């Protein structure tokens, strides 16, 4: 029977929690550390956005600042999540394979979540892997999943398991389409999510749930989990990455030179929301930002954005360039439909043209935000 390291953490800060996950996966990929399962909690409620999300679009930053709620950015894709004492973080750092790519992201998340599914079965709960990255019970979300491939080839599988959840609190932190947070809105969201305590109808301790998940991974993957602590070199790496990256506002609040009002479009795809913003200089695309809650390679997105710099905004020319980039990153971009990206770029360019005409006709130089509904 193979052996994995097993580490328990509690009361970690947002920055330390994220840095630890990334360092473990990086070191596992370079064979400096062994495969590790980490089950942990955060010391206070924090809000974590996905790798490609625009933080001000996802979180109520004024509320977070007023209530001293830490915010940060995960290395994994997906949507914004709330983590705290009642949410169990599940991190599996495991060596990747040479043919691992984001084309298999859904397949890999389904595989690595088997430990959670098996563990909660021991508590009488039957979970399903559904949609693009959710674990659900009777159609209600109980855990969100994420995946990240490090530069060393290590894989980080992450899950946020809802042992319990304060729905009104979550709605105040997240940017929602609701004009106000009323009992109706709270009830609506509560009907779409659930928790371990709600489903078992028991006031289970987080440690009891953690023990079930630990057992679930051991059984599902036929491994022995050996309790361990971080090595000195791991702690040094974690501390350094926390300072260099997860304390850095440029990482947390990263933005682009693209101004939203110049041209933007949001398109729903089967694999997540696609958010495109661009600036036009005449008929040329000056710069492009591609974001959303999808899962793919950072390098592939960077190649797309770079390839569209100072590029004709003509639909055919854009599609030809996208074809070339998609050929280079065929596996990693498999989850981001080229048709959807092409459509979003075209919509954003048209809205940028409308904004430019509005400014040109305004003697006071006031911007008019382009109209039109998002798809």
């Amino acid at each position: 029977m193979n052996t994995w390291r097993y580490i328990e953490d509690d009361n970690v800060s947002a920055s330390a929690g994220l840095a630890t996950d990334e360092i473990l996966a990086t070191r596992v990929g370079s064979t400096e550390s062994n495969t590790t399962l980490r089950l942990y909690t955060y010391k206070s409620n924090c809000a974590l956005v996905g790798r490609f999300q625009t933080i001000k679009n996802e979180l109520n930053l004024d509320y977070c600042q007023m209530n001293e709620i830490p915010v940060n950015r995960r290395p994994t894709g997906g949507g914004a999540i709330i983590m705290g004492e009642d949410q169990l973080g599940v991190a599996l750092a495991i060596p990747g394979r040479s043919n691992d790519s984001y084309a298999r992201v859904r397949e890999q998340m389904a595989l690595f979540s088997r430990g959670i599914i098996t563990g909660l079965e021991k508590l009488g709960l039957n979970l399903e892997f559904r949609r693009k990255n959710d674990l659900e019970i009777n159609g209600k979300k109980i855990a969100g999943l994420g995946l990240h491939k490090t530069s060393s080839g290590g894989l980080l599988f992450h899950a946020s398991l809802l042992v319990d959840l304060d729905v009104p609190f979550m709605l105040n932190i997240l940017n929602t389409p609701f004009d106000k947070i009323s009992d109706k809105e709270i009830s609506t969201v509560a009907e779409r999510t659930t928790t371990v305590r709600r489903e078992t109808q028991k006031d289970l301790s987080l440690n009891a749930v953690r023990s079930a998940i630990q057992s679930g991974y051991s059984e599902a993957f036929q491994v022995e989990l050996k309790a361990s602590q971080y090595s000195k070199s791991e702690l040094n790496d974690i501390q350094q990455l926390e300072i260099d990256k997860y304390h850095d506002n440029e990482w947390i609040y990263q933005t682009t030179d693209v101004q939203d009002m110049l041209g933007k479009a949001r398109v729903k795809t089967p694999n997540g929301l696609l958010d495109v913003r661009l600036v036009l200089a005449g008929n040329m695309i000056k710069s492009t930002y591609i974001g959303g809650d999808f899962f793919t390679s950072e390098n592939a997105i960077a190649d797309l954005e770079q390839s569209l710099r100072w590029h004709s905004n003509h639909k055919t020319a854009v599609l030809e360039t996208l074809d070339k980039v998609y050929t280079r990153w065929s596996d990693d971009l498999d989850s981001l439909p080229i048709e959807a990206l092409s459509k979003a770029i075209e919509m954003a360019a048209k809205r940028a043209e409308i904004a430019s005409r509005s400014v040109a006709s305004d003697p006071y130089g006031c911007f008019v935000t382009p109209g039109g509904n998002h798809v």
Side-chain angles (χ1 to χ4, degrees), residues 284-296:
M284 301 296 290
I285 299 174
K286 183 179 178 181
S287 55
T288 308
Y289 168 76
I290 301 170
D293 60 359
F294 49 80
F295 295 90
T296 191

Side-chain angles (χ1 to χ4, degrees), residues 52 100 103 109 140-141 147 153 168 175 184 194 202 215 229 232 289 302 304 320 348 362:
F52 301 108
D100 278 330
M109 285 194 289
K140 297 181 180 180
K141 179 177 178 178
L147 193 71
N175 271 341
K184 179 180 178 181
T194 191
K202 296 178 181 178
S215 177
Q229 296 296 325
K232 184 176 180 179
Y289 168 76
L304 281 168
E320 287 177 355
D362 184 351

Side-chain angles (χ1 to χ4, degrees), residues 159-234:
S160 53
L161 177 63
L162 302 179
V163 178
D164 212 338
L165 180 66
D166 184 338
V167 174
F169 177 74
M170 179 186 72
L171 290 178
N172 278 306
I173 291 178
L174 301 181
N175 271 341
T176 69
F178 304 132
D179 294 328
K180 60 180 181 177
I181 308 303
S182 66
D183 290 344
K184 179 180 178 181
E185 280 69 44
I186 293 171
S187 176
T188 297
V189 174
E191 289 174 1
R192 298 173 185 169
T193 59
T194 191
T195 68
V196 174
R197 289 174 182 157
R198 178 178 173 184
E199 292 298 320
T200 59
Q201 298 184 0
K202 296 178 181 178
D203 188 21
L204 293 170
S205 69
L206 190 134
N207 278 333
V209 178
R210 176 159 44 197
S211 179
I213 300 300
Q214 177 188 0
S215 177
Y217 270 95
S218 179
E219 182 178 324
F221 292 91
Q222 292 296 292
V223 295
E224 178 185 356
L225 292 173
K226 186 175 181 180
S228 179
Q229 296 296 325
Y230 304 112
S231 68
K232 184 176 180 179
S233 59
E234 285 175 331

